[in-house]
Amino acid sequence: MTFATRSRERSSFLDSYARSRPDFVLVATYIAISLLGLLMIYSATAPGLEARGLDPTRELKAQALFVLVGFVVFAVSSTLDLTEIRRFVGPIYIASTLLLVVVLTGLGDSEGVAQRWIDLGPVQFQPSEIAKIAVILMLASLLARAAVPLTWTTVARAIMVVAIPAALIFLQPDLGTMLVFAFVLLAVLFVAGVTMRQLGFLGVATILGTVGIFQLNLIKSYQIDRLTAFIDPGSHELTLSYNQVQSEIAIGSGGLVGKGLFEGSQTNLQFVPVQSSDFIFTAVGEQFGFIGSVVVIGLFSILLFRLLSISVAAKDRFSFLVTAGIASMFAFHIFVNIGMTIRIMPVTGLPLPFMSAGGTVFVAMSAALGLAHSVWIHRKEPAGDR
Amino acid sequence: MTSPLRVGILGLVMIGLFSILGIRLWTMQVTEAQAYDERAEDNQVRVVLTPAPRGDIYDSNGVKLAGTRSALAAVIDLALIDEDEREPLSQNLAAFLDESATDIEELLSATNRGSQITVATDITDAQATFLLEHREMFPGVNVIPQPVRTYPEGEVGAHVIGYIGKPTQEDLDERDDINGEDVLGKAGVERAYDVALQGIPGVVEYKVDAKRKVLSLENEVAPSAGGSLILTIDSEVQSQLQVSLQNGLMQARRLEMEERRLAVEEQSRSQRVAEALSEARAEALEKALEEKAALDAAAEAGESTTTTRPDDGERRIGPVEVDETEVLASLYTGLPIDADGICVPVQRVTIPRGGSATVTGIEPRLARYESVAQFGGELAADVIVEGKSYRVKEGERFAGTLRVLEISEDQLILNHSDTWCPVRAVGVVLNPDDGSVIAMSSYPTFDPSAFVDGLSNEQWTSLGTVSAFTNFAVQGQYAPASTFKTVPYVLALEESFYPIDRGVGDKEIGQEPTSGSTSTTIPDGDTSTTVLDDATPEDPEDVVLKPLTSDRDEYSCTGEFRFRLNDGSFQTKRDWKWPGGHGPLDLHGALQASCDLYFWDVALRLWNERGDDSGIDKENLLQEYARGFGFGTTTGIDLPFEREGLIPDRAWFIAEQREGSPRVRQDGSWVGGDLMDVAVGQGAVLATPLQMANGLAAMVNGGTVWQPQVVRKVVDQDGNVITENQPTIINEMDISPRTTALLLADLRQVVNNQERGTARSAFADFGRGVYLVGGKTGTGEIIKAPRSERFRQVDSAFFVGVVPVSDPEYVISVVIERGGSGGRVAAPVARQVFQFLLNGPDGVTPIAPGLDAD
């Protein structure tokens, strides 16, 4: 497969924007999901805040600010030309890996048991979010150069690229995010041309690796508990699995059409903790029922469909792999997060893209989406177009 | 594969994953929506139980024996307190209630979230007001009415009433109508009727938010009070019984002290002292032989012995020394006594390590707990008693009367016991017409009120050491001895089955073995058995056999009963009245004088005729009669923990042998001698005082075995009957009116016949109505495995009685465990109770010993 090469003339911002049509569907979906997210955050937090005599829109406003920033970031990254970014991939990757190390060394801020944040005065941000993008870029860059079908050496290198940051993240410890990397690696390798035999080998290696982790007690017992508790809450119902069980009850009791906005007794009376972030989907399920759940999943499906379409239309192999990586990253988040709220996945702390409250996450994901969008904007022109 | 295809496959994977989400959501939100809705509802509902007042207990005349009084309790609703409020709350409560903060902390953390726990019971109004007025100091604390159990009559009827306490984990597992906050009946009718007494708690339902803050009241159901019990017990008779039991026991103990004093004074001639010394010597010899054997074995194995022998290399058993003072101490001077100088069956002695304690006795001894060390995996303590050192492990006996209960680093706990001190007195009074229990008690007893607030460790130990909480009337099992003779008596009359008189000829009654023959005496556990070395002289086949054919035929009640066994050897059993015997007696005289031989001979005839063609199972006929009258099975009385007693037979014997039980001989089979023991209520026969009374009741009322009961009915707050216990017949024995009449007449003679009635002395100054009284004495051994008691039998005293003989209204049984003889110490107790029943409280004369007769 040959790729058309573009000239290296400098394009102005406006020029490039005018040359390709933006992906309206993607943008519309992105905005819709983000606004829905804001609505849900408000509905989940307002009653509680009001009951305590505080400003009910507090959380809403905070997130709205991040949403705005995210929109801007999205727009800006949409204009970037990936091929030009490509030469910065190496430094970006190294920088983000260093930041991960920084987090571990105690300059990081720990919240709960895990060290994930870096406090920069008025702003806190999570290096792991940036690492996700950096790793996708690095991985894509590596594999774009490689011959197809992939050699074992290439596969090994790909694994290394992912493994280092993944390990650092695992040590935070943030098991859930680490798994994102694993999934993304597998998906990207797959579309990049990995052979079935290599894939099989990776599968076996994963299993052995998991077993090894258990045997060497690298994984703590509470982590194991968290991973398995979703299967049978039982004795954990009042403690470890409390959130999940409450979420399950809330969503289930939503019925077909839901209880109505602000009428979710579980969510509004605060039976489901951490509602505005990890369990934001719960609010949807309870207040808008099955219909609402399907609408949200549908919106995400459209988003993913667009991302995959964009990847196929990419102008070069690098862009293609980056977009595929971004798509699989989003897919994993969505599936695991919603799965967690309905108790078919363990509690992992992975946020729901563009709906879960959280600044770094929204902005980082907006940047990633923006990059994918830019691939579309700078796509190769099909013969006959224009 | 090309990229777009692969991307397509990736897309399909995503579709697959999302489909899983969709399916699950469908299941949850559409198919199972109902179930989730309910769970969401439940989340929001909180249920609180309000306790129901416990039912009262009354005697048959309406006297209140157990009730409740209203009181206030302080409770905490844990769900309403935040984590950070807990510690200041504990501190405040600790200061306010004058308890330790750690105890309160424990209480608070030991329960599940969302429940209510009691933090203080029976608080004063002032305390309640303070708590409510200072809510900020005591968040989540509330004051609720919580009734407290009262026992207005104290000790009266304590064993029948029982007591209450907090439920154990087992109780909570078994019953789902109570929780950890309730009280539960633990013994007596409090336990047997606990469900009825509890009532049904009320329910209050609240709607709450996630913080458990109450939003609204949804539902309220009032509690329904527990049912009250009307007992068959008459508290006045009960009081008298308890007083008489106490009198009887104390008298028995005083008599025992007197006997000991005499024994020590006549030291060299006293049989008891002689036996004690010879037994002690035998034990010392055995121990020395064991030591020698061990040393010999060690020498053979080539090991060097660590003990130094005075004569090096030579191992001989020298003269065995026995400490006579120690033997005497264990017989008299060193036995435990109370503050009045009267014996006590057991006392607990606790010695701190490095310290000492006094071991009571007529000559008290000082015991010092020196040190403790590990010996072969166990702890061993070094103790010095009056200058003599001992090294002892748990379970060991030493210094004559002491036994080690527990060795720990801090202290040594010993039991200081006296195996001859009368232990307890037990009594039951029944109505023979319907089985209702009019009075029932054992002494020592207790006051159930003590349990309401919780017993102190001391109280618990001192009462527990003497088993004061146990109702021996249904839980104690004794060999009924001669009181059991009524069974072969009835059998003889009903079956026209009389013994074959032997040993008559020209023999004088009470003759010693003929000169020239020697014999060896073997302690047998029961009676001592004399076996003739010279087998020929008294061949029972030489004597004239004279079968009796009626109850009036006379039998030679000599002092000794010699008979030949299947293996050709002879056995001799001695009557309690030996030497001398009773003389010629018929069935009636035999019962009145309590002649053993007559009834042994009935058994022997049954034994010899077993397997004849009559079609009757003669081997077990006696047991059939006994079981027919209720012996050997539980009566089913409405009290907990009843024991069933035992009527042994061949089948039981074989089963016991198979298990290697120490209760039976290991070799040999069930023999005639065993059946003879059964006839006189000895051997392995066991009966509870309730069974003794119920059995006699059946024999005197014409053969109806009633099921005893203590509760007549259960009524609600307004007096309406909820349930009524109708009198139930367990069995009907077909005995003729003639038998009943004869039995009653003979029982009367036991009390009134001045020549041979074994209880005549006890009832001598009865007063008006003595001719209306009948009874039967008994003196027997308590159950023990062979070789468990050191030596010498210890007699327990029994008496069963009936009044009035003309038309029985009351049947009594009295047991004084290790008390002595029936006529001497048990009959006087019954005498007092009968005096009360016939002549009222003024008719009761002070307790006095009766004749020392079986």
Side-chain angles (χ1 to χ4, degrees), chain B residues 2 141 152 165 170 196 247 269 330 345 445 772 828:
Chain B
T2 54
V141 174
E170 266 177 44
N247 292 341
R269 285 172 306 200
S330 69
T445 182
L772 297 172

Side-chain angles (χ1 to χ4, degrees), chain A residues 187 190-191 193-194 238 242 245-246 248-249 251-253 255-256 265-266 269-271 281 285 289-290 293 297 301 304 308 311-312 320 327-328 331 334-335 338-339 342-344, chain B residues 1 3-7 9-14 16-18 20-22 24-30 32-34 36-41 43-44 113 208-212 215:
Chain A
F190 179 68
V191 298
V194 75
L238 287 176
Y242 185 67
V245 172
Q246 291 300 323
E248 186 192 356
I249 294 176
I251 293 176
S253 65
L256 188 63
S265 54
Q266 298 291 100
L269 293 179
Q270 293 132 66
F271 278 101
F281 186 77
F290 183 72
S293 312
I297 293 179
S301 306
L304 287 174
L308 289 177
S311 75
V312 173
F320 160 62
S328 43
I334 296 164
F335 178 68
I338 297 183
I342 55 179
R343 205 165 62 83
I344 59 172
Chain B
M1 284 206 276
S3 299
L5 185 58
R6 290 196 169 211
V7 170
I9 293 175
L10 186 63
L12 282 174
V13 168
M14 292 178 185
L17 290 176
F18 280 24
I20 295 175
L21 292 179
R24 169 77 170 148
L25 280 166
W26 174 267
T27 316
M28 281 170 61
Q29 292 180 306
V30 179
E32 289 178 15
Q34 177 79 348
Y36 283 108
D37 217 10
E38 282 171 21
R39 286 175 71 181
E41 272 295 311
N43 253 358
Q44 296 178 265
R113 120 170 142 167
V208 296
D209 69 6
K211 296 268 184 222
R212 303 289 184 163
L215 297 174

